[in-house]
Amino acid sequence: MVLPIPQLQRFIYSHYLLGGLRQSIGVLLPVTLLGGVFKLYDIGVVASMGAMCVAIVDQPGGPRRYRSNEMLGGAALGTFTAFITGLSSSSPILIWLLVPILSFLYSMLNVFGKRGGLIGFACLLLMALTLRFPMSPNEVLIHTLYSGGGAFFYFIFSTLFRKILLYREERRTLSVALFSTAEYMVRRSRFYDAETDLDDNYRDLIRVQADMTEAHQAARDMVLRELPKGGDSHAEAHRLALLSIFVNMVSLLDSLVATNTDYANLRRRMADSDFMIFARDALFKMAIDVGHIALNVSRHRKTKQRQSVKAELRALEFELERYKRSGLNTTEPEIYALLVQILRRLRNAQKTVDHMAAQTRSPSNDLPLDQYLDKSLSRFLSREEIRLGMFTSNLRWNSSHFRYAVRVSCATFLGLAVPTVVAYFSPDIEILSALTSYSHWIILTSLVIMKPGFALTKQRNSWRLMGTVLGCALTFILFKLTTQLEVYFFVMLIAYVLGNSLVQMNFMLSAVFNTIFVLLSFQFLHTGDSFVIGERLVDTIIGSVIALICSYILPWWESNSMSDFAQEAIKANKNYLRTGLYYAELNRQHNAATLRPDATTHALALSPEYLAQLEMDLNEADTQWQLARRNVHVSFSNFASGFYRMMNEPVSRQHNVALLNNLMIQSHVLASQISAAIPLLASLPEIPDGVATALTAIELEINNLDAPPIGSLETEGELAMLAYPLRQMIKAAQLIRQDMRGLVLSSGPPAPTQLDLLRPILDVGKPK
């Protein structure tokens, strides 16, 4: 069961294709205008190289105002890189010194996050391209001027491109997040299908949730930073519609995440009942609706034809009534309460989907806009801090960023060494020298492949090799089919657009199209010889081998980070529970003061000042709880991504797999049940003794403290719905505590420090 919207259609209307189109036009315009119109091909190529440096930083999905600063920083640093590399290009000794040093410094920019890594990678590629031929000092100045001009040209072009296509990228970024939500809903619906394997589906769900969390954060950064600010009424209505859809998407996700159920027990009890079938079909149909809404948001169209779930919801009501008549609500009150809860959540989810669809037809101002314009919302946005101390503090052997920078430096050093060694020992073998004559291409291949993690480097290595081989084969076939330069130029443009667009979605296909683009570019520079295909293939293989070898130099195994990921996930859950309980307490106080005021309450307690302060405290508590929920999703996504990266590493480097897998599952269960329990706790007039004892035990267990025995939980009325999530939270907290103990014990005693090793020597001669 997959989302019935073709991947090709989703790609066409995604921000990936829009970003690839923007990058490709901005990079190719200088060489097209200067070369095609003024016949200044050399100047156009250099300007396009500078533009490409900034285009790499200009990735889709980020906020415009921050990306502008990043592009300007990339343009300035890239221009400096072209200048110093050009000055060193005529001296082999300087090149051998400069290239490894720059490789190390620019690779260390990963300490500043994703954007810092992109700037460093762009400068490294520009450095490699500048190594193509030696230059005199005068040529260096001219080359730097042209390269810097191309870089700043791209910045201006990208800014104008967004002005012309106003809100297009915002819509497409939100669309990608909606598609991710729809995929998550499809995986959720499979839990109600008795034919699917629970463990396999759960692992699939975790992977999808990790990707969805990243897509949601990109949409959050884009939409919340572009909130309505007045001015043009049409623009304000359009932005407000995007904001409304985003808020509904988050609300839908929260409702789904809060439905973590004991599906194994539910399947044993309900088996292939009609209730399970109707629940599965209802959720799957809503996923289809969300997918169509995503498509229409991207295309800026109205959502008209939709999947109706009225029949499924009515059938669920009928089944529930039938179970009630048979006495299920008295014999098994928790199972019955769980079924009621499933039906309520499906109803709420359908209302949310209906509201999203309505916003695509006629945007309405039914959101508390003041709340969303509040400055406190800035806490939900992702921020990448930049401090010099972040760089210097990572200059140590146990830093993953430092180790990665060392590996990249070694790879570029070997990239310079291979052609030199071949030329020295085999000067008479012309074909061998020709095949390995482009050291910059070898370095480029290694830079593109190498990533901080071993598993990702190995994976990209195989993708790059397969993509290059396939791209060379397709280009060779094209050369045999036609010699028309017009056809070559058209294919080259299409290949470059697709290569840029697919780099974040499918690296192998991106490598295929980028290889075709480069080979066709060489055909324009060296017409009439297809030997260049063999040259690029051999250089790519050498670069891939170098990247594979260097990945074993000071490797950073994911198992080294898994304990930190687990602790961050647990810490996020602690904060989620704490802020949730505080929000529930304030909500009960607010309800008591406004909806059920006690006649004996002191007059001051019901004063307007008190109520206003209580309202402010409640809103702040609600914001804090939502922020904690966002942090739970992010920390869990990091934990899951790290775990699956570790599983792609050598078996000898996979440590505590069972413990970490169970920790990941229980962390997810705990967060889901907190999401389910807090709204119920907030709606109660007071907390029963059994519930209060259970909550105390959960807090103690999750803080690694012994909890008193838990008695029976009240299950009368609405409390039946609260019993199940509380029991699941207790069980999850106990298992998390147990697994964390096992994780600590498995790591063994801490390794001795240098001071510990030297202490016996230092203590010699000291008085006893």
Side-chain angles (χ1 to χ4, degrees):
M1 194 189 304
V2 296
L3 196 64
I5 297 179
Q7 287 285 347
L8 179 60
Q9 190 179 26
R10 293 167 59 177
F11 169 69
I12 290 174
Y13 290 104
S14 71
H15 65 314
Y16 298 113
L17 180 59
L18 182 67
L21 186 65
R22 181 180 64 247
Q23 291 171 315
S24 303
I25 295 175
V27 171
L28 294 178
L29 263 181
V31 69
T32 302
L33 294 176
L34 294 174
V37 178
F38 301 103
K39 307 303 179 184
L40 301 173
Y41 287 100
D42 292 340
I43 298 176
V45 169
V46 174
S48 290
M49 287 164 50
M52 185 185 67
C53 175
V54 184
I56 291 173
V57 183
D58 186 25
Q59 293 295 332
R64 289 197 302 266
R65 64 188 73 177
Y66 285 9
R67 204 185 313 168
S68 297
N69 296 334
E70 293 157 1
M71 285 193 292
L72 286 174
L77 195 58
T79 303
F80 170 75
T81 302
F83 177 70
I84 59 173
T85 306
L87 285 179
S88 306
S89 61
S90 58
S91 172
I93 297 177
L94 289 178
I95 288 179
W96 283 75
L97 289 174
L98 181 72
V99 170
I101 292 174
L102 285 183
S103 299
F104 177 83
L105 293 176
Y106 287 149
S107 298
M108 282 293 295
L109 293 182
N110 280 279
V111 302
F112 299 120
K114 179 181 178 181
R115 296 293 174 179
L118 285 175
I119 293 175
F121 176 69
C123 292
L124 286 176
L125 291 189
L126 191 58
M127 175 198 73
L129 292 172
T130 310
L131 292 173
R132 292 180 305 156
F133 51 83
M135 290 180 279
S136 65
N138 289 334
E139 290 175 325
V140 170
L141 292 175
I142 297 174
H143 183 278
T144 304
L145 180 63
Y146 294 151
S147 177
F152 287 101
F153 163 80
Y154 182 87
F155 171 77
I156 296 172
F157 167 81
S158 179
T159 304
L160 292 176
F161 189 92
R162 290 189 177 86
K163 291 289 185 182
I164 295 173
L165 299 178
L166 192 62
Y167 307 131
R168 187 68 57 87
E169 189 170 1
E170 285 86 345
R171 290 202 306 269
R172 296 197 171 199
T173 303
L174 181 58
S175 173
V176 170
L178 286 166
F179 274 126
S180 299
T181 306
E183 291 285 358
Y184 182 82
M185 294 172 70
V186 170
R187 267 64 176 187
R188 276 284 180 184
S189 70
R190 292 175 182 170
F191 282 118
Y192 299 103
D193 188 351
E195 300 298 324
T196 60
D197 183 85
L198 279 178
D199 292 335
D200 290 342
N201 193 55
Y202 194 82
R203 283 190 289 269
D204 193 24
L205 179 78
I206 289 176
R207 289 192 181 93
V208 172
Q209 182 172 341
D211 295 336
M212 180 184 64
T213 300
E214 185 176 351
H216 275 228
Q217 187 59 48
R220 181 179 288 107
D221 289 340
M222 182 71 75
V223 175
L224 292 186
R225 282 192 169 104
E226 303 298 331
L227 290 174
K229 301 167 186 173
D232 181 66
S233 58
H234 176 73
E236 183 173 348
H238 184 72
R239 286 176 171 179
L240 187 58
L242 295 181
L243 174 61
S244 178
I245 293 172
F246 170 78
V247 171
N248 280 282
M249 178 185 69
V250 173
S251 175
L252 179 63
L253 173 63
D254 292 340
S255 176
L256 293 172
V257 170
T259 59
N260 192 290
T261 306
D262 188 353
Y263 291 104
N265 186 35
L266 190 62
R267 286 183 178 188
R268 283 193 298 269
R269 178 61 184 84
M270 306 305 295
D272 294 327
S273 66
D274 290 343
F275 189 95
M276 298 281 282
I277 296 173
F278 292 138
R280 179 201 64 190
D281 292 346
L283 193 53
F284 181 70
K285 285 185 175 181
M286 282 188 273
I288 297 176
D289 269 353
V290 173
H292 286 300
I293 291 170
L295 200 59
N296 289 326
V297 166
S298 179
R299 297 183 297 185
H300 201 195
R301 294 183 183 176
K302 298 178 180 180
T303 303
K304 297 179 180 178
Q305 295 182 350
R306 304 197 32 232
Q307 298 281 332
S308 174
V309 296
K310 290 182 179 179
E312 283 78 11
L313 293 179
R314 288 174 180 171
L316 288 172
E317 292 172 358
F318 175 79
E319 290 296 312
L320 206 58
E321 182 62 28
R322 188 167 64 86
Y323 290 140
K324 186 176 182 179
R325 288 198 302 268
S326 65
L328 184 67
N329 59 327
T330 55
T331 57
E332 298 182 72
E334 290 186 26
I335 289 290
Y336 181 79
L338 180 60
L339 299 181
V340 172
Q341 199 174 47
I342 291 173
L343 175 58
R344 287 181 177 178
R345 284 173 177 156
L346 288 175
R347 281 177 183 160
N348 293 333
Q350 182 58 31
K351 291 178 181 178
T352 305
V353 174
D354 288 341
H355 192 270
M356 283 195 291
Q359 288 297 316
T360 65
R361 294 192 296 270
S362 56
S364 59
N365 189 4
D366 56 355
L367 281 175
L369 190 56
D370 293 339
Q371 174 186 348
Y372 291 99
L373 288 173
D374 191 87
K375 291 183 179 180
S376 63
L377 273 184
S378 62
R379 290 173 286 184
F380 288 85
L381 304 176
S382 62
R383 299 185 182 279
E384 294 178 350
E385 191 178 8
I386 298 178
R387 290 182 291 103
L388 182 60
M390 298 172 64
F391 188 95
T392 56
S393 63
N394 278 276
L395 295 175
R396 61 184 193 278
W397 288 107
N398 60 346
S399 168
S400 60
H401 300 296
F402 179 84
R403 292 181 171 219
Y404 169 64
V406 171
R407 289 196 296 274
V408 174
S409 298
C410 293
T412 54
F413 183 84
L414 289 177
L416 291 172
V418 168
T420 304
V421 171
V422 170
Y424 181 79
F425 288 101
S426 306
D428 299 329
I429 306 178
E430 295 183 2
I431 186 171
L432 187 59
S433 299
L435 288 172
T436 59
S437 59
Y438 290 94
S439 61
H440 69 279
W441 185 265
I442 297 174
I443 294 174
L444 274 172
T445 301
S446 300
L447 292 175
V448 169
I449 291 173
M450 295 194 70
K451 289 295 174 183
F454 176 88
L456 191 55
T457 297
K458 184 179 178 181
Q459 190 179 56
R460 287 172 73 99
N461 205 335
S462 59
W463 287 344
R464 175 74 174 180
L465 270 177
M466 289 187 291
T468 300
V469 171
L470 186 57
C472 289
L474 292 175
T475 307
F476 182 78
I477 293 173
L478 179 64
F479 286 166
K480 294 301 180 182
L481 290 177
T482 181
T483 58
Q484 296 293 321
L485 292 179
E486 292 80 5
V487 176
Y488 292 170
F489 185 73
F490 177 76
V491 173
M492 184 179 72
L493 293 180
I494 298 298
Y496 192 59
V497 172
L498 293 176
N500 285 329
S501 303
L502 291 167
V503 68
Q504 295 187 53
M505 297 182 64
N506 192 313
F507 186 77
M508 193 191 79
L509 283 179
S510 176
V512 171
F513 290 114
N514 282 329
T515 301
I516 294 174
F517 168 76
V518 171
L519 293 176
L520 290 176
S521 301
F522 275 102
Q523 186 68 11
F524 279 98
L525 297 175
H526 309 285
T527 308
D529 188 6
S530 61
F531 182 71
V532 69
I533 297 178
E535 291 179 330
R536 298 292 72 72
L537 182 58
V538 171
D539 291 340
T540 299
I541 293 174
I542 294 173
S544 299
V545 171
I546 289 175
L548 181 61
I549 293 173
C550 291
S551 64
Y552 287 93
I553 298 176
L554 297 176
W556 180 262
W557 307 107
E558 288 295 336
S559 58
N560 297 330
S561 304
M562 291 311 301
S563 179
D564 292 336
F565 286 146
Q567 290 176 1
E568 285 297 321
I570 295 171
K571 181 181 177 182
N573 267 323
K574 289 179 184 178
N575 188 49
Y576 190 33
L577 177 61
R578 180 181 58 80
T579 56
L581 291 176
Y582 181 63
Y583 162 74
E585 172 63 25
L586 286 181
N587 197 74
R588 288 193 297 271
Q589 293 181 17
H590 182 267
N591 290 340
T594 56
L595 302 179
R596 298 180 296 272
D598 189 354
T600 62
T601 303
H602 193 275
L604 180 61
L606 293 177
S607 65
E609 293 79 7
Y610 170 80
L611 293 177
Q613 183 62 44
L614 184 61
E615 188 77 26
M616 291 175 58
D617 292 343
L618 180 61
N619 290 335
E620 175 62 19
D622 186 23
T623 301
Q624 289 289 345
W625 189 50
Q626 292 180 36
L627 181 61
R629 178 167 50 205
R630 194 286 306 263
N631 293 337
V632 163
H633 293 329
V634 172
S635 62
F636 179 78
S637 175
N638 293 336
F639 189 11
S641 299
F643 179 79
Y644 288 116
R645 286 196 302 269
M646 183 186 73
M647 297 306 294
N648 288 327
E649 292 178 345
V651 177
S652 61
R653 298 296 176 177
Q654 298 174 13
H655 303 313
N656 303 311
V657 172
L659 280 174
L660 291 170
N661 182 64
N662 195 51
L663 265 173
M664 184 171 61
I665 292 174
Q666 297 307 323
S667 296
H668 186 266
V669 170
L670 181 60
S672 300
Q673 299 306 338
I674 291 173
S675 298
I678 294 303
L680 295 173
L681 290 169
S683 64
L684 295 176
E686 60 182 8
I687 301 297
D689 293 339
V691 173
T693 303
L695 291 173
T696 302
I698 294 167
E699 289 189 278
L700 290 173
E701 289 285 352
I702 202 174
N703 284 285
N704 197 26
L705 298 171
D706 293 329
I710 302 171
S712 60
L713 292 173
E714 294 83 354
T715 57
E716 295 83 9
E718 292 291 324
L719 292 176
M721 294 186 182
L722 190 57
Y724 176 80
L726 287 178
R727 288 198 178 98
Q728 291 296 305
M729 289 165 66
I730 294 168
K731 181 180 177 182
Q734 291 171 342
L735 290 175
I736 286 173
R737 184 186 182 191
Q738 175 183 322
D739 290 338
M740 284 303 296
R741 284 178 176 176
L743 199 61
V744 171
L745 292 175
S746 66
S747 62
T753 63
Q754 256 186 332
L755 184 61
D756 295 330
L757 296 174
L758 293 174
R759 194 174 298 282
I761 302 174
L762 298 174
D763 289 342
V764 172
K766 287 186 177 182
K768 300 293 185 181

